[in-house]
Amino acid sequence: MADAAIVRVQHCGTAIFCRRVPPRCPACGLPLPRGLADAPLRLPSPFRQGHRQPCALLLRPSGGTFLGGYDGKSDLHVGITSSNGVVYNYDEEGVHREQSRWEECISIPLVQPDMFGLLQQWDTLLEEFSVGEAWLPCRYDEHEHNCYTYALAFINSILAAQGKQQISKSEFTERFVIPQTKRASKYITVHQALTANNIYIVPLPQHENQ
């Protein structure tokens, strides 16, 4: 999270990613224009400080961090934040309430700012849900009753209380998780390339080039 920002410059049919814009295009060798149309764009990080994300679903690698060697294949751990950033998450030891370890996460907000009633009840609902027998350590199963099961069950309990239709695991994953993880994957690719080299060059599709 402390790495320098990634910037993107477009020139000669390529997207050039770097930490610091070079004076010349590394693809063609010509000086890079300084006009407004060619100004570098900062690539926004898809990762957030999880403990500053109230009432959200968080994803992080089960081990290590996204920018610290994540290979894109290892398991992700899922948690739900309280209104003040305490992360509730479930594993083989039961439900944890953590105030650290979630500093670099994908964050999916679950409550809109204008939902005052739900915001006021959120912490009570989350705590009451988390002490249920379903989340005892003995009930944990790596594949069938895990951290994702816990998070989705809480989300569905909120939807049910509001009289709304519940959401399946596949639908929630498709609508909310996959778009975020795809964006994160692209960012990780660029980050890893810039860790190995100062410049990362990607040919642009023809329509973007034009």
Side-chain angles (χ1 to χ4, degrees), residues 162-175:
Q162 295 178 318
K164 296 179 180 179
Q165 184 175 353
Q166 298 194 8
I167 189 168
S168 68
K169 180 178 180 180
S170 58
E171 183 183 359
F172 186 86
T173 302
E174 184 72 26
R175 286 177 57 190

Side-chain angles (χ1 to χ4, degrees), residues 36 96 150 163 208:
L36 183 62
H96 301 269
Y150 162 82
E208 256 191 85

Side-chain angles (χ1 to χ4, degrees), residues 120-167:
Q120 290 178 343
Q121 300 178 63
W122 186 265
D123 291 350
T124 300
L125 294 171
L126 182 56
E127 181 61 34
E128 289 178 350
F129 176 83
S130 299
V131 297
E133 290 188 3
W135 315 115
L136 292 172
C138 61
R139 298 289 302 277
Y140 180 83
D141 180 87
E142 182 178 358
H143 302 290
E144 301 296 332
H145 197 76
N146 52 31
C147 60
Y148 201 173
T149 312
Y150 162 82
L152 190 60
F154 175 70
I155 291 169
N156 276 324
S157 74
I158 296 295
L159 292 173
Q162 295 178 318
K164 296 179 180 179
Q165 184 175 353
Q166 298 194 8
I167 189 168

Side-chain angles (χ1 to χ4, degrees), residues 84-101:
N84 57 1
V86 176
V87 183
Y88 284 63
N89 60 99
Y90 177 62
D91 63 14
E92 63 273 11
E93 298 177 352
V95 176
H96 301 269
R97 299 156 181 82
E98 297 181 321
Q99 299 185 51
S100 62
R101 299 179 63 213

Side-chain angles (χ1 to χ4, degrees), residues 173-185:
T173 302
E174 184 72 26
R175 286 177 57 190
F176 299 103
V177 176
I178 289 178
Q180 295 275 10
T181 53
K182 281 184 176 179
R183 191 164 69 96
S185 177

Side-chain angles (χ1 to χ4, degrees), residues 31-59:
L32 286 173
R34 296 300 178 184
L36 183 62
D38 299 291
L41 299 175
R42 179 169 177 162
L43 194 66
S45 172
F47 306 118
R48 300 288 178 265
Q49 217 292 11
H51 299 288
R52 297 177 185 166
Q53 309 297 314
C55 308
L57 181 140
L58 303 181
L59 299 98

